[in-house]
Amino acid sequence: MENPDVKPIVAALLEPLPPLVKGRNDLSDPGVVELLVRGYVDQCLAAFQEVLRGNVEQDAAIDAINAQATALNAVFLGTSGFDTVVVHPWNAADQLGQFLQDTVGLDFPAEDCVRAALIHLATHVMHAIQGGTEAWEQQVDALVGEMRDLLLGRLPDGA
């Protein structure tokens, strides 16, 4: 089932990728997956900054982050309708969604587990930056790497 609202939301995340992968964003390529996750995290960080500056209400920022996660859920589960995205049998709720449900311990339907995992990631990113340590960027980089691995069906290091 294609969701027409997904296209405008995620198009910005997919835009910088085509030159790197000759017009196709293959969801089995760790570089492509990491760029998508990194783009999502960058948008989360920007939303957090806007809240801290008082430019955006917290609820609006949460809604925007959820919209991005919902759009990426459709991309990673192969239902976005983007013809520039190469999906594989893995990119399905009964495969990737079930893996995330089992591995991350998500209490959501498999069809919603990419979104739930990304919201979980955003929460961890927010905690990392609120920690006030100088190493928050390294923590965020590690979180991005873990999510990349999960979306590729690999257990993160140490899991």
Side-chain angles (χ1 to χ4, degrees), residues 2-34:
E2 186 174 318
N3 183 347
D5 296 332
V6 167
K7 291 190 179 192
I9 294 172
V10 152
L13 288 177
L14 294 171
E15 264 180 27
L17 300 181
L20 300 175
V21 292
K22 299 180 176 88
R24 303 286 287 176
N25 300 304
D26 191 327
L27 295 181
S28 70
D29 182 332
V32 169
V33 174
E34 184 162 343

Side-chain angles (χ1 to χ4, degrees), residues 10-98:
V10 152
L13 288 177
L14 294 171
E15 264 180 27
L17 300 181
L20 300 175
V21 292
K22 299 180 176 88
R24 303 286 287 176
N25 300 304
D26 191 327
L27 295 181
S28 70
D29 182 332
V32 169
V33 174
E34 184 162 343
L35 283 171
L36 288 168
V37 174
R38 173 100 30 216
Y40 170 75
V41 167
D42 288 347
Q43 290 180 359
C44 291
L45 290 170
F48 298 152
Q49 285 297 321
E50 289 300 305
V51 169
L52 290 174
R53 291 182 185 129
N55 296 335
V56 175
E57 293 292 324
Q58 185 173 347
D59 287 347
I62 290 169
D63 288 347
I65 289 168
N66 187 53
Q68 288 292 341
T70 300
L72 284 171
N73 188 75
V75 168
F76 280 104
L77 294 183
T79 61
S80 70
F82 283 111
D83 58 1
T84 59
V85 176
V86 178
V87 296
H88 302 275
W90 169 252
N91 299 109
D94 66 340
Q95 296 292 315
L96 175 56
Q98 188 66 52

Side-chain angles (χ1 to χ4, degrees), residues 85-144:
V85 176
V86 178
V87 296
H88 302 275
W90 169 252
N91 299 109
D94 66 340
Q95 296 292 315
L96 175 56
Q98 188 66 52
F99 173 77
L100 291 172
Q101 195 177 48
D102 295 342
T103 304
V104 183
L106 299 170
D107 190 21
F108 290 87
E111 301 80 24
D112 197 32
C113 279
V114 173
R115 183 197 67 78
L118 289 169
I119 295 298
H120 188 68
L121 170 64
T123 302
H124 283 289
V125 167
M126 184 179 67
H127 288 299
I129 63 175
Q130 287 178 339
T133 65
E134 293 180 20
W136 72 267
E137 290 176 337
Q138 292 172 339
Q139 292 174 16
V140 170
D141 286 344
L143 291 167
V144 167

